[in-house]
Amino acid sequence: EVHLVESGGGLVQAGGSLRLSCTTSGFTFDDYAIGWFRQAPGKEREGVSCISNTDGSTYYGNSVKGRFTISTDNAKNTVYLQMNSLKPEDTAIYYCAADRNPTYYYCSGYGPPYTSWGQGTQVIVSS
């Protein structure tokens, strides 16, 4: 069974940084797409950054390009989201997701229908 556990969220001032971690188990990590999504209060979810573990292809939402970086540690089956220059608009619950379809790295907007999801970790950026 696929399990995803996010960690690293918290409260940070605007301009600060956080690194989110998604620890995974129960599947062949290298065969999957892994994504970071977020949902702010009263708004629909959006794809933040996603990666295909088959070839390293990545996607970044326009609002986070140049500020966020997705990376993987294949030995640990873990995906990270380094978030720099945080803005209050980044405040949301952040979720990681996994799917065996490698094309799902392209997670624009609401994103493709990832099959497995973590419980989320809250990020609050104060002004």
Side-chain angles (χ1 to χ4, degrees):
E1 183 178 349
V2 176
H3 294 278
L4 308 170
V5 180
E6 303 96 332
S7 62
L11 175 65
V12 65
Q13 291 183 326
S17 298
L18 286 172
R19 188 180 74 161
L20 306 184
S21 298
C22 176
T23 301
T24 74
S25 62
F27 64 99
T28 303
F29 187 78
D30 290 349
D31 293 342
Y32 276 63
I34 310 292
W36 286 100
F37 297 80
R38 67 187 182 188
Q39 188 165 16
K43 297 185 178 180
E44 194 56 88
R45 91 175 183 217
E46 63 174 328
V48 178
S49 183
C50 302
I51 186 167
S52 171
N53 287 342
T54 62
D55 63 6
S57 298
T58 58
Y59 167 85
Y60 292 94
N62 288 335
S63 65
V64 306
K65 285 180 179 177
R67 300 190 297 122
F68 291 9
T69 303
I70 191 169
S71 63
T72 63
D73 185 337
N74 292 348
K76 293 183 170 63
N77 291 347
T78 299
V79 181
Y80 304 97
L81 185 68
Q82 179 67 45
M83 306 188 295
N84 298 326
S85 302
L86 283 162
K87 304 175 181 179
E89 307 93 272
D90 297 318
T91 296
I93 305 296
Y94 284 72
Y95 301 88
C96 66
D99 197 275
R100 67 183 302 167
N101 189 332
T103 70
Y104 280 14
Y105 81 91
Y106 191 76
C107 56
S108 177
Y110 186 84
Y114 278 74
T115 54
S116 301
W117 294 81
Q119 81 290 342
T121 185
Q122 184 169 267
V123 172
I124 300 174
V125 184
S126 62
S127 60

